[in-house]
Amino acid sequence: QVQLVESGGGSVEAGGSLRLSCAVSGYSYTYSIAWFRQPEGKEREGVANVYTSTGHTEYTDSVKGRFTISRDGAKNTVYLQMNRLKPEDTGPYYCAASMYDDGGSWFDENEYSFWGQGTQVTVSS
């Protein structure tokens, strides 16, 4: 069983920055870790993903150039650095763990077996 605990959410003005953390425990290997968010009134969407063996990262188009996903293997923690935040970035953010590659898309939430409880990000204009 993998446990994921997010932290670092908060309220900021547009243009500000936040860094989210996802502490991973309970299993020594994961295939990838992703961040998802769910804007109000919308479906949950993939924001960024990192493959834990290679370090390769992927992003949804709306955050490219503003967000950076990274991992610290020694701390078993994955980060999401969010810069130049916009009001449309508002919502709960979740980290999720995928345990193996079955050929699916990283932004498909069905690829992830374990989820954290979420941390709220609010960006005011």
Side-chain angles (χ1 to χ4, degrees):
Q1 189 82 359
V2 177
Q3 290 83 43
L4 304 164
V5 179
E6 303 97 334
S7 61
S11 298
V12 297
E13 294 184 350
S17 298
L18 284 173
R19 189 178 79 157
L20 306 183
S21 299
C22 173
V24 184
S25 63
Y27 204 78
S28 61
Y29 172 80
T30 56
Y31 174 65
S32 71
I33 301 289
W35 285 96
F36 283 77
R37 67 185 179 187
Q38 188 163 16
E40 188 172 354
K42 297 183 179 180
E43 295 185 353
R44 190 157 56 184
E45 62 179 7
V47 176
N49 178 72
V50 59
Y51 297 94
T52 54
S53 295
T54 64
H56 180 69
T57 59
E58 296 181 276
Y59 299 90
T60 192
D61 286 346
S62 63
V63 308
K64 286 180 179 177
R66 300 189 298 124
F67 291 12
T68 303
I69 188 171
S70 62
R71 75 198 196 288
D72 184 331
K75 296 182 178 179
N76 290 325
T77 300
V78 173
Y79 302 99
L80 185 67
Q81 178 66 44
M82 306 186 294
N83 298 328
R84 305 201 313 273
L85 282 160
K86 303 176 181 180
E88 51 263 45
D89 295 319
T90 293
Y93 281 66
Y94 305 90
C95 64
S98 173
M99 305 306 289
Y100 57 89
D101 177 15
D102 68 355
S105 300
W106 73 266
F107 47 82
D108 182 352
E109 61 181 85
N110 294 312
E111 295 296 310
Y112 300 87
S113 303
F114 301 99
W115 292 79
Q117 81 289 348
T119 186
Q120 178 67 31
V121 171
T122 303
V123 184
S124 59
S125 58

